[in-house]
Amino acid sequence: MSAASYLLPYDFSPLTVLSFALALGLYGVALQRLPEADRPGPGRIIAFVAGVLLCYGAMQTRFDYYSQYMFFVHRGQHLILHHLGPILIALSNPLPVLRYWHRALGSGGRRMLRPLGLVYRILQQPAIASILFVGLIYFWLWPPIHFDAMLSRQLYWLMNWSMLLDGLLFWWLIFDARSPAVSTALGYGKRILLLALVAIPQMILGAWIVFSRGMVYDVYEVCGRAWPMPPETDQLLGGLLTWIPPAMMSILGILIILRRAMHEDGKFTSRKTVTEGPAS
């Protein structure tokens, strides 16, 4: 196979290609039309594009083939869709772009989107967001469900899209660029607590897979593996990918939130000093 063939979809999905193309297209149009003061900087633009392309690559390149025939690659696919890609997109802070299209919709368009706004606010409740974030991982890795999802095209796409959308919702809640002091954004302490809470069950699940005796996910034996790798090794690597990288990303997220909180506290202290003047 040529190098270019690895970039072609293994299981072509017009809806998936259209969705990612639309996301990049709308982002690009907004960048051209936004005032200079509101336009994201190069770093944020690169983070957004990289996050979108990573998720696209996980779903619509040859990588998707290996994800269907190797358990550890499948775990890498969900690591991208549920963690890495959404983290980059959330850190890019596309709020100015979203606000631009919100205004461009007009009152009629905004009225049509109100039901989605209600669902969004419900899903962004901290308890619901964290339970859904971890619950989907457990649900799709429950052996009977996982077996069916890997053998059904419809369930397979539902699994991947649910992981991507849930990842976007959760990491947007965590990395919301708005200050909790002047908006309804979740407080920094609560964000740190959520990151710690969701890390624990992921670590437990990964450890269970790693230390399980016998094959937990025998669907890869039924379908055959893409590479001649021992099943035990495949399962071990998949368990490690479920265990370690998500925990590391939670730690990284906590560090980012702490940095933001300290930066904001420093700005508040400086502003207070200027307002009150030097102590007499």
Side-chain angles (χ1 to χ4, degrees), residues 6-252:
Y6 284 95
L7 299 177
L8 297 177
Y10 166 66
D11 186 5
F12 177 66
S13 168
L15 177 61
T16 303
V17 174
L18 178 63
S19 298
F20 283 101
L22 192 62
L24 290 175
L26 292 175
Y27 188 82
V29 170
L31 286 182
Q32 296 298 318
R33 297 181 181 179
L34 279 171
E36 186 68 30
D38 296 335
R39 197 173 299 161
R44 286 166 57 189
I45 295 173
I46 291 172
F48 179 85
V49 173
V52 172
L53 291 180
L54 273 173
C55 294
Y56 174 83
M59 296 177 73
Q60 281 291 281
T61 65
R62 192 71 181 179
F63 186 86
D64 183 52
Y65 165 77
Y66 297 115
S67 300
Q68 296 185 41
Y69 290 95
M70 298 296 294
F71 178 64
F72 86 92
V73 183
H74 163 77
R75 297 312 306 141
Q77 181 187 49
H78 279 196
L79 188 66
I80 293 171
L81 295 178
H82 206 221
H83 291 75
L84 186 56
I87 285 175
L88 289 172
I89 293 171
L91 286 175
S92 74
N93 181 23
L95 262 178
V97 173
L98 295 174
R99 286 178 181 140
Y100 169 81
W101 286 112
H102 187 262
R103 292 192 300 267
L105 283 172
S107 58
R110 290 194 290 270
R111 196 178 303 115
M112 292 176 61
L113 290 179
R114 280 177 186 170
L116 287 178
L118 176 61
V119 173
Y120 170 79
R121 287 190 292 273
I122 293 173
L123 295 179
Q124 290 299 82
Q125 296 296 312
I128 295 176
S130 55
I131 291 172
L132 191 61
F133 185 77
V134 174
L136 274 178
I137 301 174
Y138 271 76
F139 176 78
W140 291 117
L141 283 178
W142 186 26
I145 297 294
H146 190 76
F147 188 95
D148 291 341
M150 299 307 292
L151 294 179
S152 166
R153 188 173 187 269
Q154 289 74 24
L155 276 179
Y156 180 77
W157 283 108
L158 177 62
M159 173 177 65
N160 286 346
W161 271 107
S162 67
M163 295 296 283
L164 173 58
L165 295 176
D166 179 59
L168 289 171
L169 286 170
F170 179 80
W171 292 108
W172 178 255
L173 177 67
I174 296 298
F175 293 127
D176 190 342
R178 298 174 299 162
S179 169
V182 295
S183 72
T184 58
L186 191 65
Y188 293 130
K190 292 180 180 178
R191 300 187 201 192
I192 291 172
L193 179 61
L194 285 187
L195 285 171
L197 289 177
V198 300
I200 296 171
Q202 292 181 84
M203 293 169 65
I204 293 173
L205 178 60
W208 174 72
I209 295 173
V210 167
F211 295 111
S212 290
R213 295 183 177 180
M215 291 309 302
V216 179
Y217 302 104
D218 53 358
V219 65
Y220 300 93
E221 289 294 298
V222 174
C223 298
R225 286 179 166 79
W227 302 313
M229 176 182 289
E232 297 80 8
T233 304
D234 188 18
Q235 182 167 294
L236 172 65
L237 293 175
L240 290 173
L241 284 172
T242 306
W243 180 357
I244 299 175
M248 293 174 63
M249 290 182 187
S250 284
I251 294 172
L252 177 62

